[in-house]
Amino acid sequence: MTTATALDTHRAAVLAGLSRGWIETRQSFTETAKVIVEAFFSLIYIAVLLMLRRKTMPGTDFSLAATVLPGLLCMSIIFGGIVGPSVSITAEREDGTLLRAKATPNGMLGYLVGKIVMVALSTLLKFVVILVAGIMLVNDVIVDARACLLLTLIFVVGMVATVPIGVALGSVMKSSLQAGLVPLTCGLLVIASGLFFPITVLPTWLQSFVQAFPVYWVGLGARSAMLPAQMVAAEIGGSWRMVEMFAVLGVWAAIGLVLAPVLLRRMARRQSGSAVAEVRARIRSKGY
Amino acid sequence: MSSETPAIALDVRGLRMRYGARDVLTGVTFTMKRGEVLALLGPNGAGKTTTIEILEGFLMRSAGNVSVLGIDPAQGNEAWRARIGVVLQSWRDHRFWRVRELLTYLARFYAPFATAEVARPWDVDELIDVVGLSKSANAKIMTLSSGERRRLDVAIGIVGRPEMVFFDEPTAGFDPHARRDFQDLIHRLSDFDNTTILMTTHDLDEAEKIADRILVLDEGRIVADGSADQLASEFTTAAEVRWTSSGRRHVHAARGGDATSFVRDLLIQNDDVTDLEVRRASLEETYMTIVQRAESAQSRGGIPNGAAAKISDVRA
């Protein structure tokens, strides 16, 4: 009798997960309901760039849109990496998708791989759409080899720092309603992290607070890649602080990579047919 | 793992489950042979779903010994999981997926668990045909009717060619035609593939048609265990005899459920008997008797274990 090795079975699950990620990414471009949601934010971002196109920073002739573009790129990473997985994992726990994964050998591994692929691909697409639109619409941003390399690096590091956190949050949230707190919190952090105005105008305590989170650092990284050198004057300490940026994002990546599997496994352990049936009854009676 | 397959697929001894201060299962004991089809019957809240979820490895029990295909579900690894099929009730999951797409995806996980005895997984197109979804193979799951969706649930449950399948209320939402197809599928699985099948149901008629054996669960314990016929003969207090004699219609309830001797005497003593009718209790009446008897015994403080044991003896 042949016995499957763990390597064979894990490989099958990872390959299945890759196909799952691809199928779900494809769905987000072919399903009208999904396309509308996906396109909504990209269109808003592009509209913002269009409106600020002719404006300049007060007291300078530097394009205001150029300072906003890195902020929008940062938002696409944060919303894609944290909000995307947390909201969808909570929803898929409630609709029974996770229970199906649990009933399948190594199904949770396949599910997780699929989720990462889907999140990475769809975030990358939005990132590229905003970047291309920005380059076409906005003057004063730098697009050279250094900028491309840095942006690639920041995208990759940004995803590694945020997706595990998103998975962990999605595993902890008790219901879809609670998971709604995640985009809200991210939105507040985005506002307070100086993506759209110089952070140095904020009170020092708030500056220190937001520097604990990935949003500020991904934003700083995007600005360091795309803005001319003299713009560094508007940053804390008058520096792009690359070392600190990679260090903080690295710490978040480490925290997320340790927590996500533990929390996901703990959450999956509690899934059963009756747990899903309870949610179904709740949603049928209360509507959420 | 050896190539000889053990005769016992499932062994449950003294299974208890307690949520806080509430006992849901109070010592459930039964075994299943390989290839057997067993229906777990009982009123709402009897503990059917709790039992099946413990056996599926989705719920941790409070006490007792459980072995499914030789392995404790609480410690079941992925190789064990590959030998188990769980039929879940779909709701909104994978609604943008297409039928063949989802089955193909799920089938991939089982391929490395194929053995010399069991070719895994099912060929997806063959499976779609077997469950009667050929016309909807390329349909989005959200567009399926509730009956089609249940067929898909069954297909997902067996795509890995499980040796043991659990169905919780499998035919809820089935029309009579789908119900017949489902019964045929169950027979196919148990007869040709020697699959062991445990299902919970409310539907007595279905239990009678599909199951080799019926287990009645009430208030967390087994109150009857046997084939439909065994249950009927053991638990029915009376068989009804009707006849016409001297122009009058008569009705007699024969105690003990066996009317043979009564009818023999009746015919010997009266030679004008016509329109003789002997009606044994239907399974439904038997079931009601079992549950009522169990509940009245419970309220008197006695546990009618004797009743369950009696049937087991008959079977043995």
Side-chain angles (χ1 to χ4, degrees):
Chain A
M1 173 169 165
T2 51
T3 308
T5 65
L7 191 68
D8 291 336
T9 62
H10 287 154
R11 188 194 298 127
V14 169
L15 290 175
L18 293 176
S19 78
R20 179 185 183 87
W22 175 243
I23 288 168
E24 297 218 303
T25 309
R26 208 182 51 206
Q27 283 167 3
S28 57
F29 301 113
T30 53
E31 296 298 333
T32 321
K34 291 193 174 196
V35 171
I36 291 170
V37 177
E38 297 281 327
F40 183 69
F41 284 101
S42 304
L43 287 176
I44 288 187
Y45 294 169
I46 292 168
V48 168
L49 290 177
L50 276 171
M51 285 191 298
L52 299 179
R53 211 176 154 192
R54 309 253 172 253
K55 301 245 173 17
T56 56
M57 279 178 72
T60 70
D61 59 356
F62 190 77
S63 162
L64 196 56
T67 65
V68 166
L69 179 60
L72 296 179
L73 291 173
C74 168
M75 272 179 77
S76 73
I77 292 178
I78 297 298
F79 277 88
I82 296 181
V83 178
S86 62
V87 169
S88 64
I89 286 174
T90 314
E92 287 172 350
R93 178 175 65 217
E94 297 192 331
D95 73 19
T97 305
L98 271 161
L99 184 58
R100 288 238 189 270
K102 193 184 165 186
T104 311
N106 296 306
M108 285 302 290
L109 176 60
Y111 173 83
L112 188 60
V113 170
K115 181 66 52 193
I116 291 168
V117 170
M118 202 272 274
V119 163
L121 285 180
S122 53
T123 307
L124 178 64
L125 189 90
K126 272 176 270 184
F127 186 85
V128 169
V129 165
I130 297 164
L131 184 62
V132 170
I135 291 168
M136 290 193 306
L137 296 172
V138 179
N139 302 317
D140 297 339
V141 289
I142 300 169
V143 191
D144 57 7
R146 174 186 170 277
C148 292
L149 182 70
L150 260 178
L151 282 177
T152 310
L153 207 57
I154 283 151
F155 178 83
V156 172
V157 175
M159 290 312 281
V160 177
T162 54
V163 175
I165 297 291
V167 171
L169 286 171
S171 311
V172 176
M173 294 299 158
K174 290 210 163 53
S175 67
S176 300
L177 206 63
Q178 231 181 55
L181 293 173
V182 176
L184 194 72
T185 312
C186 285
L188 291 173
L189 272 176
V190 161
I191 294 169
S193 292
L195 295 186
F196 304 114
F197 52 82
I199 192 168
T200 42
V201 305
L202 291 174
T204 325
W205 65 265
L206 191 53
Q207 288 183 34
S208 318
F209 178 74
V210 297
Q211 285 180 68
F213 297 97
V215 186
Y216 168 79
W217 296 98
V218 172
L220 179 69
R223 290 195 294 278
S224 75
M226 305 197 77
L227 295 184
Q230 67 269 24
M231 294 301 289
V232 80
E235 301 295 344
I236 296 169
S239 158
W240 295 124
R241 294 194 289 169
M242 292 258 176
V243 177
E244 289 93 325
M245 176 189 84
F246 286 116
V248 174
L249 293 178
V251 168
W252 276 100
I255 293 173
L257 288 170
V258 169
L259 283 182
V262 176
L263 294 174
L264 189 67
R265 211 170 291 144
R266 195 191 67 162
M267 181 266 278
R269 247 201 319 268
R270 296 180 182 161
Q271 296 309 300
S272 66
S274 48
V276 174
E278 262 171 46
V279 174
R280 185 163 38 203
R282 186 198 81 209
I283 294 180
R284 278 189 182 148
S285 66
K286 293 188 187 169
Y288 59 84
Chain B
M1 283 187 276
S2 72
S3 55
E4 58 185 292
T5 45
I8 297 295
L10 188 142
D11 192 8
V12 179
R13 287 172 198 280
L15 174 61
R16 288 172 170 274
M17 187 67 196
R18 161 175 285 207
Y19 292 107
R22 198 165 61 91
D23 284 311
V24 179
L25 299 176
T26 55
V28 170
T29 299
F30 68 100
T31 60
M32 281 179 75
K33 293 196 216 69
R34 278 193 77 98
E36 197 172 15
V37 180
L38 188 145
L40 197 56
L41 213 63
N44 276 330
K48 301 189 298 284
T49 298
T50 301
T51 305
I52 210 164
E53 288 189 346
I54 289 169
L55 300 178
E56 288 164 351
F58 288 169
L59 197 62
M60 295 302 126
R61 62 187 182 268
S62 305
N65 292 315
V66 178
S67 152
V68 177
L69 299 176
I71 286 166
D72 180 347
Q75 261 109 51
N77 58 11
E78 301 302 314
W80 173 79
R81 177 64 63 203
R83 300 166 65 206
I84 302 289
V86 177
V87 176
L88 299 164
Q89 281 210 37
S90 70
W91 175 34
R92 305 196 298 201
D93 65 290
H94 296 97
R95 57 192 180 281
F96 295 111
W97 289 60
R98 290 168 197 279
V99 169
R100 183 185 282 113
E101 204 172 47
L102 181 58
L103 285 170
T104 306
Y105 163 72
L106 290 169
R108 299 180 70 155
F109 289 88
Y110 293 92
F113 293 102
T115 64
E117 299 88 45
V118 190
R120 292 193 166 96
W122 275 79
D123 176 81
V124 168
D125 284 311
E126 189 194 335
L127 177 61
I128 288 172
D129 189 45
V130 164
V131 299
L133 276 176
S134 300
K135 282 185 195 135
S136 315
N138 292 315
K140 265 182 234 161
I141 292 171
M142 61 193 290
T143 67
L144 298 183
S145 70
S146 64
E148 286 173 322
R149 206 172 277 213
R150 292 299 286 144
R151 288 165 189 258
L152 174 63
D153 291 337
V154 172
I156 292 173
I158 63 175
V159 67
R161 284 199 183 273
E163 291 151 58
M164 166 107 222
V165 188
F166 297 102
F167 293 92
D168 199 2
E169 302 284 342
T171 58
F174 269 12
D175 58 35
H177 176 66
R179 213 169 271 264
R180 266 278 297 282
D181 286 355
F182 177 74
Q183 288 165 7
D184 291 345
L185 175 64
I186 294 291
H187 289 140
R188 174 185 170 145
L189 289 174
S190 75
D191 295 347
F192 297 124
D193 299 331
N194 205 27
T195 311
T196 312
I197 296 165
L198 174 59
M199 54 183 266
T200 70
T201 183
H202 280 103
D203 191 333
L204 294 145
D205 187 45
E206 180 169 274
E208 190 173 13
K209 284 200 180 98
I210 298 181
D212 303 324
R213 215 171 110 208
I214 294 171
L215 220 64
V216 181
L217 204 61
D218 186 52
E219 302 198 346
R221 69 211 191 288
I222 292 171
V223 295
D225 177 353
S227 70
D229 287 344
Q230 285 168 343
L231 295 191
S233 61
E234 278 301 309
F235 283 89
T236 311
T237 48
E240 220 171 51
V241 184
R242 292 161 187 263
W243 72 96
T244 306
S245 153
S246 323
R248 276 184 60 208
R249 192 75 179 149
H250 298 268
V251 179
H252 171 82
R255 306 298 296 169
D258 187 356
T260 317
S261 58
F262 176 81
V263 171
R264 189 181 296 122
D265 294 344
L266 177 75
L267 293 177
I268 291 169
Q269 286 158 24
N270 307 276
D271 48 10
D272 66 338
V273 171
T274 52
D275 291 332
L276 178 67
E277 235 181 287
V278 180
R279 214 179 125 267
R280 272 292 266 282
S282 69
L283 186 60
E284 187 170 354
E285 285 161 326
T286 309
Y287 172 67
M288 295 311 293
T289 312
I290 293 167
V291 171
Q292 274 163 15
R293 189 187 287 185
E295 275 162 9
S296 64
Q298 175 94 349
S299 62
R300 286 196 310 269
I303 295 168
N305 274 341
K310 212 168 173 184
I311 289 290
S312 309
D313 295 343
V314 169
R315 201 162 34 81

